[in-house]
Amino acid sequence: QVQFVESGGGFVQPGGSLRLSCETSGVTFRDVPMAWFRKGSGKEHELVAVITASGGITKYADFANNRFDISRDNAKNTVDLQMRGLKPEDTDVYYCNVVAGRNGVYPVYSWGQGTQVTVSS
């Protein structure tokens, strides 16, 4: 069974940094692209960043570009999101998931519990 366990969130002041981590199980991790999402305000979870199976290509949402870095360790089945220059509007619950889609990036499995990021002075 596929499971995601996110960690690393917390309370941080504007301009601060956090490193989120996602432990996965039940998937052939090295064969699939991974992504970080946040809950957002809409019906669908909002894509934050995506990384290819090999880790060779990464893409970011506009709000995350130049501030966040996604990485993965295929030996440990983990994917991380390094966040810096955090802003209050980054406050949200962040999730990881396997993604698929030729014309977009779509979550494949049910969501884990996520990890709360709160940015406030």
Side-chain angles (χ1 to χ4, degrees), residues 15 43 52 55 74:
K43 181 179 179 180
T52 54
N74 285 353

Side-chain angles (χ1 to χ4, degrees), residues 1-108:
Q1 297 184 22
V2 177
Q3 295 185 37
F4 306 109
V5 180
E6 299 93 343
S7 63
F11 188 95
V12 65
Q13 293 188 335
S17 299
L18 288 171
R19 188 177 185 93
L20 310 184
S21 185
C22 170
E23 299 181 0
T24 70
S25 61
V27 299
T28 307
F29 183 80
R30 67 182 62 192
D31 291 339
V32 296
M34 293 289 300
W36 281 94
F37 296 80
R38 65 186 187 184
K39 189 174 182 180
S41 60
K43 181 179 179 180
E44 302 294 329
H45 286 54
E46 181 181 21
L47 181 68
V48 177
V50 61
I51 185 167
T52 54
S54 68
I57 302 174
T58 58
K59 299 290 184 181
Y60 300 89
D62 287 345
F63 69 83
N65 195 35
N66 298 317
R67 296 191 298 124
F68 297 177
D69 289 302
I70 187 171
S71 61
R72 65 191 295 158
D73 186 339
N74 285 353
K76 297 182 178 180
N77 300 147
T78 60
V79 58
D80 287 7
L81 185 71
Q82 178 65 56
M83 312 167 75
R84 62 181 176 84
L86 285 163
K87 305 174 181 179
E89 53 263 44
D90 295 323
T91 297
D92 213 326
V93 181
Y94 286 73
Y95 304 83
C96 63
N97 213 322
V98 176
V99 291
R102 293 185 178 183
N103 300 117
V105 179
Y106 305 97
V108 173

